[in-house]
Amino acid sequence: MNIEDFDFDLPEELIAQTPLKDRTASRLCVLDKQTGRIQHQHFSDIIDYLQTGDCLVLNDTKVLPARLYGVKEDTGAKLEVLLLHQEEGDSWEVLVKPAKKVKKGTVIDFGDGLLKAVCTGTKEHGGRTVEFSYQGIFYEILDELGEMPLPPYIKEQLSEKDRYQTVYAKEKGSAAAPTAGLHFTDALLQQIREKGVQIIFITLHVGLGTFRPVSVDSVEEHTMHSEFYRMSEEAADALNQAKAEGRRIISVGTTSTRTLETIARDYDGSFAETSGWTDIFIYPPYQYQAIDGLITNFHLPKSTLIMLVSALAGKDEVLHAYHEAVKERYRFFSFGDAMLII
């Protein structure tokens, strides 16, 4: 299957640069995966498409303010450091710009000595491992010095850090937000519960590889990045019961979807308390085992995310919906509008 099969024309002005003031005010494109029928709604209407007994699965990962600006201790040269994931203790895998200035033993100073890092090694993809040193609590220092690592297609500065965070974010560890969840408010989630929908939380820490373009012509040759996931016993039991009773499981976002499908694949279509690293790559003609519906944002042309969505609703149907969204001037990507596939 060729990567060009998942291409579409997207005017640059439709890439949302800032979030809407009201999270639920974004638009909602509803795609019926059986008939291909498209409806244009607002996100607050999502409650009309959820049924009593549905399970709504949310990713409760929390984005770290993972972008740090520092200087080389010996020369004063400016550096940008992006935290990818914690390896052990105060050792982290990071990306550095410009990387050529940072060799093993290089000391980087952040915030006039409030935080320091020494480079302890290099990675195959050009990243670095660093060991941080500080006085106090690391995450408090990170909150003070760090910035949110917004996707590369967002050029505007974010005035409020919390707008690149879901209202239910809890487990620290992501380098990017699970953006389908940005549309929910506490009030909307309460309305959903009151309708009899069961809300279930799982965790997948989003890596920056989620923005990495597919660089091969053949879809099958692409290798996915790995991301850490976790499912509790409580979540597994609730999902297994829903499956047994024939109730729908609706995933919020591609990150929740990849987690659910990874676990269902490993446990013969059921769920279990588990954690690990997943590099699952979902593209047509993948047969879904875990989910019945999906709430997601509009994704980049030729991305692994549009392939995942196409595996659920059909490539032609999804691309038709995307063409409709462009025609209707929907807002695209992280701060953009949403799609419900059901």
Side-chain angles (χ1 to χ4, degrees):
M1 190 176 296
N2 195 285
I3 185 65
E4 297 298 329
D5 294 340
F6 298 92
D7 196 13
F8 64 93
D9 291 323
L10 178 66
E12 192 172 344
E13 67 267 19
L14 295 186
I15 299 173
Q17 293 296 318
T18 54
L20 297 178
K21 189 171 182 181
D22 176 3
R23 289 174 183 259
T24 66
S26 56
R27 297 169 75 189
L28 179 69
C29 177
V30 183
L31 174 61
D32 186 315
K33 63 188 173 105
Q34 302 297 332
T35 66
R37 182 189 177 211
I38 295 169
Q39 295 174 277
H40 300 294
Q41 307 285 4
H42 286 92
F43 195 80
S44 54
D45 299 320
I46 195 88
I47 196 162
D48 297 331
Y49 293 90
L50 298 174
Q51 301 171 1
T52 299
D54 284 347
C55 287
L56 191 68
V57 184
L58 306 168
N59 181 6
D60 65 2
T61 189
K62 190 168 190 176
V63 187
L64 297 173
R67 180 170 277 119
L68 291 163
Y69 295 95
V71 296
K72 279 184 74 174
E73 192 173 62
D74 56 351
T75 67
K78 293 181 179 179
L79 296 167
E80 178 183 328
V81 175
L82 194 60
L83 307 186
L84 293 184
H85 73 265
Q86 188 174 13
E87 294 195 326
E88 189 176 352
D90 290 315
S91 180
W92 285 74
E93 181 183 353
V94 302
L95 292 177
V96 182
K97 285 185 0 188
K100 63 184 178 183
K101 290 184 180 292
V102 177
K103 297 178 172 57
K104 191 172 181 181
T106 298
V107 178
I108 309 170
D109 185 312
F110 307 96
D112 295 325
L114 192 60
L115 180 66
K116 290 191 177 185
V118 59
C119 178
T120 56
T122 60
K123 295 283 189 178
E124 287 181 10
H125 58 71
R128 300 289 189 269
T129 52
V130 300
E131 183 83 18
F132 284 106
S133 59
Y134 50 90
Q135 294 293 319
I137 299 171
F138 178 74
Y139 288 112
E140 288 183 359
I141 296 170
L142 197 60
D143 280 337
E144 182 178 342
L145 299 179
E147 292 184 4
M148 282 296 182
L150 295 178
Y153 46 74
I154 292 177
K155 312 301 180 189
E156 302 266 343
Q157 288 292 318
L158 187 62
S159 58
E160 299 173 63
K161 280 185 180 180
D162 285 350
R163 287 304 275 112
Y164 192 58
Q165 205 81 267
T166 63
V167 297
Y168 47 81
K170 179 183 171 188
E171 301 292 335
K172 291 181 177 137
S174 268
T179 54
L182 295 178
H183 303 283
F184 289 93
T185 61
D186 288 325
L188 179 58
L189 288 169
Q190 185 56 34
Q191 280 184 278
I192 289 169
R193 287 188 181 97
E194 287 170 359
K195 189 169 183 176
V197 174
Q198 192 172 11
I199 293 178
I200 295 170
F201 293 102
I202 58 176
T203 304
L204 181 134
H205 293 320
V206 189
L208 284 179
T210 194
F211 302 123
R212 184 162 61 92
V214 178
S215 57
V216 293
D217 292 332
S218 174
V219 169
E220 292 83 357
E221 292 175 11
H222 178 69
T223 302
M224 289 289 286
H225 55 287
S226 290
E227 295 169 316
F228 179 80
Y229 68 88
R230 183 187 301 113
M231 177 178 283
S232 68
E233 182 179 8
E234 180 185 15
D237 289 347
L239 289 165
N240 283 330
Q241 186 174 353
K243 277 279 188 192
E245 294 172 359
R247 294 186 278 121
R248 298 188 305 181
I249 295 173
I250 298 168
S251 177
V252 177
T254 58
T255 61
S256 298
T257 301
R258 293 179 69 237
T259 304
L260 291 168
E261 291 298 320
T262 295
I263 296 168
R265 180 189 61 182
D266 290 347
Y267 289 90
D268 296 323
S270 62
F271 304 97
E273 179 184 10
T274 184
S275 64
W277 293 82
T278 180
D279 60 357
I280 190 171
F281 181 17
I282 296 174
Y283 58 89
Y286 179 88
Q287 295 296 309
Y288 278 86
Q289 297 184 56
I291 69 168
D292 304 292
L294 170 65
I295 298 168
T296 186
N297 280 16
F298 287 92
H299 305 295
L300 283 161
K302 300 191 282 190
S303 65
T304 60
L305 304 178
I306 197 171
M307 294 174 199
L308 180 152
V309 174
S310 296
L312 182 63
K315 177 175 67 70
D316 292 342
E317 288 77 9
V318 166
L319 288 176
H320 174 63
Y322 270 57
H323 290 309
E324 282 284 308
V326 169
K327 188 172 77 173
E328 296 290 331
R329 311 295 290 176
Y330 274 66
R331 302 165 78 247
F332 275 67
F333 306 159
S334 295
F335 288 141
D337 295 315
M339 173 183 264
L340 169 65
I341 299 170
I342 209 157

